[in-house]
Amino acid sequence: KSVGEVMAVGRKFEEAFQKALRMVDETVIGFDAYVKEVNDEDLKEPTDKRMFVLAAALRIGYSVDKLYDLTKIDRWFLQKMKNIVDYNTFLQKVAQADLTKAMLLRAKQIGFSDKQIAVAVKSTELAIRKQRKDFDISPFVKQIDTVAAEWPASTNYLYLTYNANSHDLTFKEEHTMVIGSGVYRIGSSVEFDWCAVGCLRELRKLNRKTIMVNY
């Protein structure tokens, strides 16, 4: 019954998974263990909300093996999901003032948004963002070669990740940023993407360097 998909890119499964969840619904902060109640029957049936039941089950102590028996989701994925829930539980025991650079970096590397961290440590998104900036924690731009290295890649998918220590590209010249239309949902279609592409083409005619950012 699925009607779509999201594409999230990261260097860890946890990072990509949490990005993907936030793309599906702007009210979702990540792999949130407080959205749904635990129900074994809901765990057996694959639905669009099952991952939140799964998160709740991990929070109250369901083992990876028990969840595998109920969901038949590979244990590798379940363990990665458990990593997220376990770290959220850890953050809930830490006050914002006690957050270290290593703690904050670890959270970002497994896909936590600033808002998600703020909820865990009972702070605000703005305060966490400022603290992260003070610690000089920022994402790096990495590049996906879309032609499998068969010839030089002139068009590239770029993504942001905290699991790196250098940029694949540098932006030494001034660029014009075009904001993309976000994820597809029922009622949206390719014409929204075409608006962004049309904008890029016109800017190129004006000899402007461009970069498109899709949330």
Side-chain angles (χ1 to χ4, degrees), residues 38-165:
V38 179
N39 183 312
D40 285 4
E41 291 305 311
D42 288 342
L43 287 169
K44 292 175 184 176
E45 288 295 321
T47 68
D48 60 328
K49 295 292 186 284
R50 180 167 69 160
M51 74 282 291
F52 297 115
V53 182
L54 206 157
L58 285 166
R59 177 175 60 84
I60 66 169
Y62 275 47
S63 69
V64 167
D65 286 337
K66 181 174 182 177
L67 286 169
Y68 172 75
D69 290 339
L70 289 166
T71 66
K72 302 307 178 190
I73 295 172
D74 190 282
R75 290 179 178 86
W76 187 89
F77 293 106
L78 292 172
Q79 183 58 55
K80 298 296 183 183
M81 294 175 191
K82 186 175 186 298
N83 292 344
I84 298 169
V85 173
D86 286 351
Y87 203 73
N88 191 71
T89 302
F90 165 75
L91 287 175
Q92 288 174 334
K93 299 172 184 174
V94 180
Q96 188 203 335
D98 297 327
L99 275 176
T100 65
K101 181 176 181 178
M103 289 176 190
L104 209 48
L105 179 60
R106 167 69 176 159
K108 300 305 289 184
Q109 287 178 334
I110 58 174
F112 279 71
S113 66
D114 290 347
K115 184 175 183 179
Q116 196 175 0
I117 297 167
V119 170
V121 301
K122 298 179 177 61
S123 183
T124 66
E125 183 178 3
L126 197 61
I128 294 297
R129 178 180 170 82
K130 182 181 184 304
Q131 189 173 10
R132 178 169 60 78
K133 292 290 187 182
D134 290 344
F135 282 142
D136 195 28
I137 298 173
S138 295
F140 291 91
V141 178
K142 304 305 280 185
Q143 183 179 46
I144 301 172
D145 183 357
T146 56
V147 291
E150 290 185 19
W151 54 82
S154 58
T155 59
N156 300 281
Y157 277 111
L158 305 178
Y159 67 99
L160 294 174
T161 181
Y162 289 85
N163 291 290
N165 50 29

